[in-house]
Amino acid sequence: MKHKCLYQSFLFPACLLSAIPAFAQGNTTEGQVTLQSNTTATGNGQTATAHNAAQPSRRESLNLTEKQTAFLNHLLDRAGDDGLIGEKKDAGAHHLSGDSLIAASLDYARAIHSGRLSSNDFDKNWGMKPDFYDPWPDFKNAINNNSLGEWAANLAPPYSGYAGLKNGLIYYRLIAEKGGWPIIPVGADLTVGSEGVRVKTLRKRLAIEDKELEDTGSSHFDASLKAAVRRAQQRYGLNPSGVVSGQTVEALNQSVKFRIHQIMANMERWRWLPRNLPENRIQVNVAAAVLTLFEKNQPVMSMKSVTGRPGNETPMLRSTIYSLVINPPWNVPDSIAKKELWPKEKAHPGYLQSAGFKIIGENGQGQRLQQKPGPRNSLGQLKFDFANNYSVYLHDTPGRGAFSRFSRLESHGCIRLEHPVALGERLLSADPAWTGDRLRSEIDKNETERVRLKQPVAVFLFYWTAFGNGENALSFRNDPYKWDELLAQKIETIAQSVQGQSNNN
C-alpha cells in the first residue's frame, strides 16, 4: 500500500505555502514533491550508472494460460494510463500470445518500473538515471505462481507523487477528448469589475480545471472569479494577485496537449528514482527553486533557492553531502572567468582586486581566478559539497534580491540558499561539538574551515514541473530548460518503435 504523506503546515514559512502540491492529505511547500516510499529507506545516495535497457537472459519457455494471456493483453492496453505512450488513440487493442506477448510484457515491465529511455537517450544534464532492472525473474515467478495481478501492481514507482500524476493524466486526457479549453485573447489586465468577452472566456477556461468555479456564462469579473484566478496562479507558480496579466494569460493558454506532455515527462522522471530512498535527505526542485530537508521521511525545513538559468542548467542528480565549508574561497570556473570576469577587468581595470579576486598562475594557459572569503564572496559564508560530475553544490550568497521573486532561475548552475546557516546548523545538530551558536561563531572568524558531518545526508536535485494528488487540477511550473517536451517526444518515439515491433511479431 502506498504511503500518503502528511505534512504539517507550521513547519514552513507562509510565503512557501502559496502553491501547495497536495498529494493525498495535508500540506507541503511550493513546488515540492513528496517522496514517500512503501519500503524501508536504505539508499546510499550514490550516483547510479547502470540502466534497465539490457534484455534479460531467457533460459526457458513459459506456458501462459488463457486467463494469463487475457490479463497481460489488458495490461498492455492500459499502458497509456501510465504515460508510456502518447495519445490514447495511438494504442490499439492487443491480441498477442506466446513469446510475442511475453516479450511485450517484459518491455512494459521495464518501462513502467525504470522508464522508457536507454542510456543513450539521456540528456547530458539528466544525471538521475535509474538502477538496472531485469523483470524476468519476477515475471517468471508470477506466471508459475499465478500471481500476475500482484506482480503488475508492484511495477510502478511506489510514491504518492507518481500516483497523483497518473490520476492527473487521466483527468487531463478527458479534457483533451472534450476539445480542450478556449484561448484567452491577449489584452489589458483583467481584474474585479472588468467586463466583456475576454472575462467570459476566462471564466470558461478556469472552470474546466477548477471544480470550485461554476461557468455561469457571465462576462462580469466578480469576487468568485478573482478567487479562481488566485487558485490558478498558485497552481502555476505565479504571484496570486487575482489580477490577470500577461504571465497568467500565457500559463492558461498553454494547450492541454502541452500539459499532458508535462505530466508524461514527470511520470518518467519518477521512474528514475531508487525504490529505497534515504529517510534523511535534501530535495531540491530545480524548476520551482525550492529546497526541502527531510528527516525520517518527514519535511522539517524548507526554503527558497536560486537555480540555474536556461543555458546554465542545474542538472538532475543524486549524491551525498559529507561536509560543509565555512567561509569558502571561490575557485572561479574558466567559463565564468572568460565570459564575465576578465571582460569586466578589461573594461574597468582594478575590478578584480577590489572584488577580492586573486590571479593564480602565470599569464597564458593555466591561469585562473580565486575569490577570497569575505562579505563579497559569491559563495557567501557556507558551501555544502557533494560529489558530482557537474561541479555544482549548495551555497550561501551575498545577493538576496532574487529570493523575493517568484521566478528564481538566475544562477550559473549551482543552488543558492535562502537560509544556509539554518540548514548548516540542522545538519550539524547530531554532533555534540556543534551545539548552540558555534557555527555562527566560526563564521564570524572569517577563516576557511571544512567540517565533516557526523551524519552525512543524501541530496537529490529534481526537475518537477507537474505535481498534485490528481483529485483536482494538478499544479504546473514553467519548463525553463525545455526538458518536458524533449522527454515526452522521446517517450512517444520509443513507444511507437516498440509498438511497431509488437505488431510485426
Side-chain angles (χ1 to χ4, degrees):
M1 177 179 177
K2 295 179 176 61
H3 287 274
K4 297 184 178 181
C5 297
L6 305 179
Y7 282 11
Q8 298 176 347
S9 60
F10 65 82
L11 293 170
F12 307 109
C15 63
L16 291 185
L17 294 173
S18 60
I20 299 176
F23 290 92
Q25 302 176 28
N27 298 325
T28 180
T29 60
E30 173 193 0
Q32 186 55 52
V33 175
T34 305
L35 293 181
Q36 189 70 20
S37 173
N38 64 348
T39 55
T40 303
T42 59
N44 58 16
Q46 298 303 309
T47 301
T49 57
H51 189 246
N52 63 305
Q55 297 290 330
S57 176
R58 295 277 303 282
R59 295 185 297 273
E60 59 189 275
S61 296
L62 294 175
N63 295 317
L64 303 179
T65 66
E66 183 176 340
K67 186 175 181 180
Q68 289 171 337
T69 297
F71 176 87
L72 291 173
N73 275 294
H74 177 70
L75 193 66
L76 297 177
D77 289 339
R78 301 299 299 271
D81 291 349
D82 280 276
L84 296 176
I85 58 176
E87 303 298 325
K88 294 184 96 175
K89 62 185 179 183
D90 293 340
H94 286 78
H95 301 286
L96 301 176
S97 61
D99 286 346
S100 295
L101 178 56
I102 290 173
S105 299
L106 291 173
D107 173 79
Y108 165 85
R110 283 189 296 273
I112 194 172
H113 185 282
S114 303
R116 272 288 186 199
L117 273 60
S118 67
S119 295
N120 293 334
D121 292 314
F122 278 77
D123 181 90
K124 62 183 177 64
N125 286 313
W126 299 353
M128 185 85 68
K129 294 185 179 181
D131 297 326
F132 176 80
Y133 171 66
D134 180 357
W136 172 252
D138 290 339
F139 178 75
K140 180 187 69 174
N141 290 336
I143 294 295
N144 292 336
N145 297 328
N146 201 27
S147 58
L148 279 176
E150 181 180 354
W151 168 79
N154 290 322
L155 287 174
Y159 308 118
S160 57
Y162 181 87
L165 287 176
K166 181 174 180 177
N167 292 335
L169 182 61
I170 296 171
Y171 180 79
Y172 279 84
R173 278 182 168 156
L174 287 174
I175 293 175
E177 289 173 7
K178 294 177 182 178
W181 44 60
I183 297 297
I184 303 167
V186 176
D189 290 357
L190 299 175
T191 187
V192 172
S194 296
E195 301 275 356
V197 175
R198 292 180 65 231
V199 174
K200 183 177 181 179
T201 304
L202 171 67
R203 186 183 299 275
K204 182 177 182 180
R205 163 66 183 90
L206 292 176
I208 291 174
E209 278 188 298
D210 190 338
K211 296 178 181 179
E212 295 184 46
L213 178 68
E214 181 182 359
D215 181 14
T216 62
S218 171
S219 58
H220 175 68
F221 198 125
D222 56 15
S224 66
L225 185 57
K226 178 179 179 179
V229 168
R230 294 190 64 188
R231 289 192 294 271
Q233 289 168 330
Q234 289 174 330
R235 290 197 308 274
Y236 288 107
L238 304 173
N239 181 14
S241 64
V243 176
V244 180
S245 56
Q247 277 190 320
T248 301
V249 171
E250 182 180 2
L252 293 174
N253 280 348
Q254 288 285 4
S255 70
V256 66
K257 183 176 181 180
F258 178 84
R259 296 305 181 194
I260 288 172
H261 278 189
Q262 278 195 287
I263 297 169
M264 289 173 58
N266 282 271
M267 292 178 75
E268 178 76 359
R269 293 183 193 114
W270 277 107
R271 301 182 191 112
W272 301 347
L273 300 186
R275 292 301 176 104
N276 299 318
L277 286 164
E279 62 178 9
N280 298 329
R281 61 187 182 272
I282 289 173
Q283 297 176 194
V284 179
N285 184 352
V286 172
V290 172
L291 176 146
T292 302
L293 172 66
F294 285 77
E295 293 178 357
K296 296 183 179 179
N297 279 324
Q298 295 299 315
V300 296
M301 179 181 293
S302 187
M303 69 186 70
K304 297 176 182 177
S305 64
V306 175
T307 52
R309 65 177 69 92
N312 297 114
E313 292 84 358
T314 299
M316 289 182 280
L317 60 85
R318 51 173 162 154
S319 187
T320 302
I321 297 174
Y322 290 97
S323 62
L324 56 86
V325 182
I326 300 172
N327 296 313
W330 181 34
N331 295 308
V332 183
D334 289 341
S335 58
I336 298 176
K338 290 177 181 178
K339 292 180 181 178
E340 300 180 25
L341 298 181
W342 289 118
K344 285 184 179 180
E345 174 67 18
K346 184 176 181 180
H348 305 283
Y351 163 78
L352 291 176
Q353 183 177 1
S354 66
F357 290 96
K358 66 178 180 179
I359 300 173
I360 300 176
E362 302 296 330
N363 288 335
Q365 190 173 5
Q367 193 175 65
R368 61 186 179 88
L369 295 177
Q370 184 185 78
Q371 189 179 30
K372 66 181 181 181
R376 299 187 64 180
N377 186 282
S378 295
L379 303 186
Q381 298 173 318
L382 280 179
K383 173 186 173 185
F384 302 80
D385 276 331
F386 48 91
N388 65 90
N389 296 325
Y390 302 94
S391 299
V392 298
Y393 35 82
L394 311 177
H395 68 87
D396 184 20
T397 176
R400 315 302 296 176
F403 296 118
S404 63
R405 295 190 278 273
F406 279 84
S407 177
R408 298 186 294 277
L409 281 78
E410 301 182 12
S411 80
H412 290 94
C414 289
I415 299 99
R416 305 173 193 166
L417 304 180
E418 183 183 23
H419 303 298
V421 176
L423 178 62
E425 288 177 335
R426 190 84 189 199
L427 298 185
L428 290 169
S429 62
D431 190 340
W434 287 88
T435 58
D437 294 330
R438 183 179 173 188
L439 178 57
R440 297 178 188 272
S441 298
E442 294 296 319
I443 289 172
D444 291 341
K445 293 179 181 179
N446 202 31
E447 297 175 356
T448 300
E449 179 182 1
R450 180 176 293 275
V451 182
R452 298 283 295 183
L453 295 182
K454 193 176 183 67
Q455 293 183 356
V457 61
V459 59
F460 292 82
L461 307 187
F462 299 125
Y463 187 78
W464 300 129
T465 58
F467 42 85
N469 61 14
E471 297 175 2
N472 295 298
L474 296 177
S475 291
F476 294 97
R477 294 295 179 268
N478 287 335
D479 177 21
Y481 302 161
K482 308 303 178 187
W483 287 352
D484 287 346
E485 196 70 17
L486 175 61
L487 181 52
Q489 290 172 357
K490 287 177 179 287
I491 295 170
E492 291 204 52
T493 299
I494 296 170
Q496 289 171 3
S497 175
V498 172
Q499 184 67 30
Q501 293 173 8
S502 297
N503 292 338
N504 291 333
N505 292 332

